[in-house]
Amino acid sequence: MSARNPGTVLDLEGLSKVTVNTQAVLKRAQHIQSLKVPKRQWQTAWLLKAVSCIDLTTLAGDDTPSNVHRLCVKAIQPVRYDLLKKIDMHDKAMYSEIRQFREACGDTHMKTILATGDLGNFTNIYKASMVAMMAGSDFIKTSTGKEAVNATYPVAIVMVRAIRDYFLRTGHKVGFKPAGGIRTAQESLVWLTLIKEELGNDWLCPRLFRLGASSLLADIERQIYHYVTGQYAAYNELPMA
């Protein structure tokens, strides 16, 4: 939710100089009215968007408690459940659900795990990434690492480009975390390169990029050991704890 508007000093001098081009307004309004409306499923999608923007109000002087109660019931379920189920929109709580998490987190950073391996296609992954960011996520993560399909480079490209698009629109930098199946030092270099190429150096920092791969550390440490000593260490020489 946006912060409350604090207002500004009343600028009567500036307001006195304002003029509105009536003909331009009328022409623009006519153009808007002449645009073709979307059809079929796209029209339904826009109508559902309209529903989400509706204020149900009653201003009649002779209103009754039953009228107000009826409106409240309708606000809770504005479109019949069976209709939403027919178009597979009966359980689509993602934005609202993440918003609730955002409010619960307060000032704490919030990370959203998208489980991209279950989303079906790149378009869905992009949309899910954008919705998560619009709802207030500070980080978006590819997966838990436990799914059948985890972090892949194509998925990462889609997600980081969503991050870039969101930054260009809002000026807010959202972090990215790939997780699952990242095990070698060489792979970590590829991931760093991907972030540098797609998002730039600003994202090459712990605040905006994290690698979800506990087993990765052991191989990186072995590679550093080899660089320092000229030989590889056994894994038991570089324990995790």
Side-chain angles (χ1 to χ4, degrees):
M1 300 290 289
S2 59
R4 194 180 292 271
N5 181 8
T8 60
V9 177
L10 179 62
D11 182 10
L12 291 176
E13 182 180 356
L15 287 173
S16 67
K17 298 175 182 177
V18 171
T19 59
V20 175
N21 186 327
T22 300
Q23 291 304 313
V25 171
L26 294 176
K27 184 177 181 181
R28 180 61 176 165
Q30 187 178 38
H31 171 71
I32 295 295
Q33 289 175 283
S34 69
L35 294 175
K36 292 183 178 179
V37 298
K39 300 295 184 182
R40 297 177 65 80
Q41 72 267 30
W42 300 112
Q43 184 178 88
T44 302
W46 277 99
L47 291 174
L48 290 174
K49 168 59 73 175
V51 168
S52 71
C53 299
I54 291 175
D55 281 335
L56 289 178
T57 60
T58 176
L59 302 173
D62 58 352
D63 258 333
T64 64
S66 62
N67 283 343
V68 175
H69 181 264
R70 177 177 56 83
L71 282 177
C72 291
V73 171
K74 192 62 176 174
I76 293 172
Q77 183 68 60
V79 179
R80 264 175 38 191
Y81 182 83
D82 62 315
L83 297 177
L84 294 176
K85 194 169 184 178
K86 287 284 188 181
I87 56 176
D88 195 29
M89 290 297 292
H90 58 293
D91 60 353
K92 298 298 186 289
M94 181 176 171
Y95 176 83
S96 299
E97 186 175 7
I98 296 176
R99 287 301 301 171
Q100 293 174 28
F101 286 126
R102 173 73 278 166
E103 292 172 10
C105 286
D107 294 331
T108 303
H109 273 59
M110 181 178 73
K111 175 179 64 185
T112 298
I113 304 173
L114 299 181
T116 54
D118 298 329
L119 293 182
N121 57 58
F122 292 146
T123 299
N124 288 341
I125 291 169
Y126 181 90
K127 290 178 179 178
S129 299
M130 291 299 293
V131 170
M133 291 185 287
M134 289 175 177
S137 299
D138 299 298
F139 250 84
I140 54 175
K141 182 179 175 182
T142 59
S143 46
T144 64
K146 305 299 183 181
E147 293 87 351
V149 179
N150 292 286
T152 67
Y153 301 128
V155 162
I157 288 172
V158 173
M159 291 179 68
V160 299
R161 288 186 178 179
I163 289 173
R164 184 174 63 193
D165 289 346
Y166 186 77
F167 171 68
L168 292 174
R169 294 181 190 181
T170 68
H172 187 74
K173 295 177 180 177
V174 173
F176 174 66
K177 182 177 180 178
I182 306 170
R183 296 185 176 88
T184 69
Q186 184 62 36
E187 288 176 292
S188 71
L189 297 179
V190 178
W191 282 106
L192 290 171
T193 301
L194 187 152
I195 295 301
K196 178 180 174 62
E197 290 293 312
E198 292 290 331
L199 293 175
N201 290 334
D202 285 355
W203 264 263
L204 287 177
C205 66
R207 186 175 64 86
L208 292 172
F209 178 62
R210 311 289 289 184
L211 282 166
S214 300
S215 61
L216 172 63
L217 178 58
D219 192 56
I220 290 178
E221 193 173 18
R222 287 186 78 235
Q223 298 301 325
I224 294 174
Y225 184 97
H226 179 267
Y227 174 76
V228 172
T229 67
Q231 55 187 334
Y232 285 108
Y235 279 105
N236 61 4
E237 293 183 275
L238 301 170
M240 284 290 293

